[in-house]
Amino acid sequence: MDFFEAQDQAKRKTGRLIFYYLLAVVGIILSIYFVSVFLYRWQLAGFSDTSWINPVWLVIVSIIVLITISIGTLFRVAQLRKGGSAVAELLGGRQVESSTKDIDERRLMNVVEEMSIASGLPVPEVYVLDNEENINAFAAGFGTNDAAVGVTRGALEQLTRDELQGVIAHEFSHIFNGDMRLNIRLIGILNGILVIHIMGMVLMRSMMFSRGTRSRSSNDGKGSGNITIVIIVMGLSLIIIGYIGMIFGRMIQSAISRQREYLADAAAVQYTRNPDGLAGALNKIGLKAKGAEINDGHAMEMSHLFFASSFHSALDKLYSTHPPIEKRIKAIKPSLNPEDFRRREKMKQKFQEQRVSGDKGQPEKGGFAGHPALTPEVILGAIGTLDGNHIQKAGELLNDLPENLKKATHEPLEAEALMFALLFATSREKLPDWFKERVDESISEATQKLFTQLSEASREWFLPLAEMSLPTLRQLSKEQYQSFRSVLESIIKKSDRENLFAFAIEKLLLRQLDTAFSSRKEPEIRHHHFKTLGHEMSVVLSALSYLSDENPEAAWEAGVKTIRKLLPSDASLLSKDECTIEKVDQALDELAASSNPVKKYVLRAIIHCISSDKVLSIEEKELTRAISEALDCPIPMGALG
């Protein structure tokens, strides 16, 4: 199962979730209907009438129940509309500042940054549940743009770095596979069902209070006593029906979650190539009396979010959201190749064989000069996943970065200056006077210092530094962000119009941050085939083809060859003037509104196009990363060499 198949499978699971949800709602409606009919016949009509069906009353009950459940569901979903950060805060999480000096928190940030750089994903916000002493973790959000990763204080203090890396890799797997959006929807559904139970509790408590008040009055009559009995029975019935609904909710959680945990475990082992790390974390949970329990009141409704079960009850054996710890450990240790990951494992084995043979002689046919293992198929297979080599390379890059540059990514003022300096350093321009007039003196001075250092630095550091700055820049106020964004856009517009790094920064940074600071929505899927995308594909592939100085026609042909039968007949290699960065940007906006199968073929054509000359230039890498970011299909840093 590759990245695109995993995303589509998550959407299919959403359909299954809706089916279960409808079953639960229908069951609740029918239960409340029959209870209300029983009470009516018991107190008023009697049981002589054999008919229990009243279509009008059934419609009224259905409307009331649907409105009640919908309000509960919509309230929780609206409460969590900010994505992962809202979930973390609801659980009592505290956001870890990028500049933290705490040793344990610094280690956690290093692991998350390492994973993000290796995978090509934006660095998510990181939270710690300070009040939770047991070992657990979670990933939450609607997508990669608003993802958050959280760990308990117990996990932070009790796990080794390898064990913590295994747990974070497990959570990154959920991000890759599109599980997070499904999880938040499930939280909303469970809250809607829970409202019925709460209504019953409110009725019971109000009647207990009113009975206590009436007991001091002598005006009680038989009629009011009957009404009291009816309300008490109805309240008790709602409590029971709501509780049954919660059990059904647990069934939904279990049906959706269990198999995904096995898959995420297997993925984490593949990512880290260290089964002992993940198994060690699971073993420590298994040895604790309370396992991974979460004390927060939302532990039950959010149990499916966590690394291990956060809530235990008598129904665990039937409806637990997670497989038993012992089975998870057993699945990790003896066999690391579950069926859904077998094809990817074979690809990685082939990757290793190619690299070994390539080190002994000339690059093999189909590989890149200096990187014989990097075939188009390997790059495409790496999308939306991690590899031990990628993580190792990300770790080496983080170690190579000068401390002052890493520090700049973790301080809000310096993070702004770093982004400005990266753009100026790319175009080799000195800081212009207009820039010094637009920003504060402190930012101007910081930009100048960073610009001087970056002018002599490795270009490979630039995009990772920008990605590492994302969590820090999200901490800006809305007013600060608007000012930062305005200056950044001015630099991009005034720089070389064909500055590909500026384009990559614009797609990476502004896309991620605009989501955090505005109500920007993901584009609706409008394209399920290439018939309506002929011009857009011509623009993107032509732009990439001209990056190959030697033979743009050959590069175009290599890209088109993989999708020739799908493209409309009017697709053709355009002139340079017809495929400027501005026009590529417009084309990508349309391509982003495509279905996953279309995106997969788009990226396949792009990768074959840039690989036609067996050499990947820094410009080709940057443009490819910008395109993958626009399509929300992360390409790992190491996948492009």
Side-chain angles (χ1 to χ4, degrees), residues 16-17 24 52 55 58 83-84 108 142 164 215 225 305 335 379 382 415 421-422 459 471 497 588 594 623 628 640:
R16 189 194 308 174
L17 175 61
W52 285 76
L58 178 60
L108 172 63
F142 287 102
L164 185 63
S215 65
L305 289 177
S335 173
I379 297 173
L422 285 170
R459 182 71 173 270
R497 293 188 65 187
L588 288 179
S594 303
L623 184 54
S628 71
L640 295 174

Side-chain angles (χ1 to χ4, degrees), residues 111 114-115 161-170 265-278 348 386-389 391-392:
V111 170
E114 188 176 275
M115 289 281 179
R161 191 187 194 282
D162 285 348
E163 290 166 348
L164 185 63
Q165 187 184 56
V167 171
I168 297 300
H170 174 103
D265 284 347
V269 170
Q270 285 191 317
Y271 298 163
T272 62
R273 293 185 180 172
N274 181 12
D276 291 334
L278 185 63
K348 290 180 179 178
L386 273 169
D387 179 86
N389 289 329
I391 295 175
Q392 181 181 353

Side-chain angles (χ1 to χ4, degrees), residues 19 29 60 152 176 252 308 319 360 431 454 480 516 544 633:
F19 173 73
I29 289 173
I60 293 173
T152 60
F176 286 137
I252 296 174
Y319 306 131
K360 296 177 181 178
L431 269 60
L454 289 169
Q480 288 173 326
L544 284 165
C633 301

Side-chain angles (χ1 to χ4, degrees), residues 250-523:
R250 294 277 285 171
M251 291 172 61
I252 296 174
Q253 281 182 310
S254 175
I256 296 295
S257 299
R258 278 198 180 191
Q259 189 60 30
R260 291 186 306 158
E261 296 305 319
Y262 280 127
L263 295 177
D265 284 347
V269 170
Q270 285 191 317
Y271 298 163
T272 62
R273 293 185 180 172
N274 181 12
D276 291 334
L278 185 63
L282 289 168
N283 187 53
K284 286 182 177 179
I285 292 173
L287 292 175
K288 291 175 67 69
K290 293 187 177 181
E293 283 187 15
I294 297 295
N295 296 320
D296 189 89
H298 300 95
M300 187 192 77
E301 64 173 316
M302 298 192 182
S303 180
H304 58 289
L305 289 177
F306 283 92
F307 172 69
S309 185
S310 64
F311 177 85
H312 295 286
S313 69
L315 299 173
D316 270 1
K317 289 187 178 179
L318 291 175
Y319 306 131
S320 175
T321 54
H322 294 69
I325 293 293
E326 296 78 11
K327 287 188 177 181
R328 291 175 69 179
I329 295 174
K330 187 177 179 181
I332 292 169
K333 297 293 282 185
S335 173
L336 305 181
N337 296 312
E339 183 64 30
D340 283 339
F341 286 86
R342 188 171 297 163
R343 184 167 65 85
R344 192 177 292 172
E345 183 64 21
K346 287 180 179 179
M347 182 179 294
K348 290 180 179 178
Q349 288 174 356
K350 182 179 179 181
F351 181 99
Q352 293 301 319
E353 291 170 2
Q354 288 178 332
R355 189 168 70 168
V356 170
S357 62
D359 288 341
K360 296 177 181 178
Q362 297 298 319
E364 292 185 3
K365 183 179 180 181
F368 298 99
H371 298 279
L374 291 180
T375 64
E377 290 74 19
V378 168
I379 297 173
L380 191 66
I383 294 173
T385 186
L386 273 169
D387 179 86
N389 289 329
H390 301 160
I391 295 175
Q392 181 181 353
K393 185 172 181 178
E396 292 171 353
L397 184 144
L398 286 174
N399 288 332
D400 291 342
L401 286 174
E403 284 301 320
N404 68 314
L405 290 181
K406 285 193 284 189
K407 179 177 177 293
T409 67
H410 298 148
E411 298 285 350
L413 183 148
E414 291 195 46
E416 290 187 60
L418 176 63
M419 297 312 307
F420 300 148
L422 285 170
L423 288 170
F424 286 127
T426 306
S427 57
R428 303 295 178 184
E429 296 178 3
K430 293 182 179 180
L431 269 60
D433 292 336
W434 70 262
F435 171 77
K436 297 175 183 178
E437 294 171 359
R438 286 279 301 273
V439 300
D440 294 338
E441 184 178 351
S442 56
I443 293 181
S444 177
E445 291 176 356
T447 303
Q448 182 62 60
K449 290 179 182 178
L450 292 167
F451 169 75
T452 302
Q453 183 174 4
L454 289 169
S455 297
E456 305 299 326
S458 169
R459 182 71 173 270
E460 291 186 354
W461 294 353
F462 284 26
L463 277 179
L465 284 170
E467 292 169 340
M468 290 169 63
S469 301
L470 281 171
T472 305
L473 293 171
R474 291 193 191 105
Q475 296 173 21
L476 298 174
S477 68
K478 195 166 186 178
E479 293 73 21
Q480 288 173 326
Y481 173 66
Q482 292 300 331
S483 175
F484 164 73
R485 191 185 194 282
S486 175
V487 175
L488 196 73
E489 285 187 321
S490 295
I491 297 173
I492 292 172
K493 288 178 180 178
K494 292 176 184 294
S495 67
D496 180 2
R497 293 188 65 187
E498 299 305 303
N499 186 332
L500 293 177
F501 178 77
F503 178 64
I505 287 295
E506 187 174 28
K507 303 308 289 185
L508 167 71
L509 205 66
L510 297 185
R511 182 176 182 274
Q512 297 295 331
L513 294 177
D514 279 355
T515 303
F517 286 97
S518 69
S519 57
R520 175 180 175 178
K521 297 181 180 179
E522 293 295 320

